[in-house]
Amino acid sequence: MTSEAASTAALLSKAREALEMYHHVFVDDDGALTFRHGEVPCAVQAMQLAEGLNVLSLQCVVAWDLPDSAEVMTSVANRGGEALFGTAAVVHTDHGIDVTLRYTFPAEGLDVNALGTLFMLVVSGASSFRTDLVAGSHQ
């Protein structure tokens, strides 16, 4: 195993331990971690961006198949701009729009408790974002 693979595997192991304090976590064939926070499916991956810079990337699928309307897009832009942790993105599909929230951060040196707290800040924000979007798209 290369040093890059070993360091990202160790980081994913720590991330899994942190997440398992709050959620049931699945490990995918490619090593990614997946879990659900309420109605929001999430995935965590580890990667080395540069030597000595290992990061975790958390992606949450906030909503899917929302109406592709100006009102929903404005709501996504406004609510996404208020996110303390993460960047909102919109994907246009044949069924409307899907909204994701991604947060990538250097995670080396964080202990399991701090990492768990950081994950919960991000995913609770994603859940709140979902609640607002889904309620607003049905008005």
Side-chain angles (χ1 to χ4, degrees):
M1 179 180 289
T2 67
S3 64
E4 178 182 345
S7 63
T8 56
L11 196 52
L12 273 175
S13 178
K14 187 189 296 186
R16 181 179 181 182
E17 185 179 349
L19 286 166
E20 285 179 336
M21 292 189 297
Y22 305 98
H23 297 288
H24 183 74
V25 178
F26 300 92
V27 180
D28 293 344
D29 291 342
D30 65 356
L33 308 175
T34 59
F35 64 98
R36 291 183 78 85
H37 183 77
E39 296 180 29
V40 177
C42 303
V44 177
Q45 294 177 303
M47 64 201 83
Q48 184 179 72
L49 293 181
E51 189 171 332
L53 179 57
N54 296 317
V55 299
L56 288 174
S57 180
L58 169 62
Q59 182 155 336
C60 302
V61 181
V62 174
W64 49 94
D65 298 340
L66 294 176
D68 192 350
S69 68
E71 295 82 17
V72 173
M73 293 299 290
T74 299
S75 181
V76 169
N78 289 339
R79 185 65 171 85
E82 296 170 358
L84 295 177
F85 298 98
T87 302
V90 172
V91 177
H92 296 270
T93 71
D94 292 340
H95 303 287
I97 62 170
D98 298 345
V99 179
T100 61
L101 185 74
R102 177 177 290 208
Y103 186 59
T104 301
F105 58 98
E108 292 290 336
L110 291 177
D111 71 18
V112 171
N113 290 324
L115 192 53
T117 299
L118 186 54
F119 280 136
M120 290 307 98
L121 287 169
V122 177
V123 298
S124 65
S127 289
S128 176
F129 191 1
R130 176 179 171 71
T131 299
D132 294 348
L133 282 178
V134 171
S137 71
H138 289 96
Q139 294 180 355

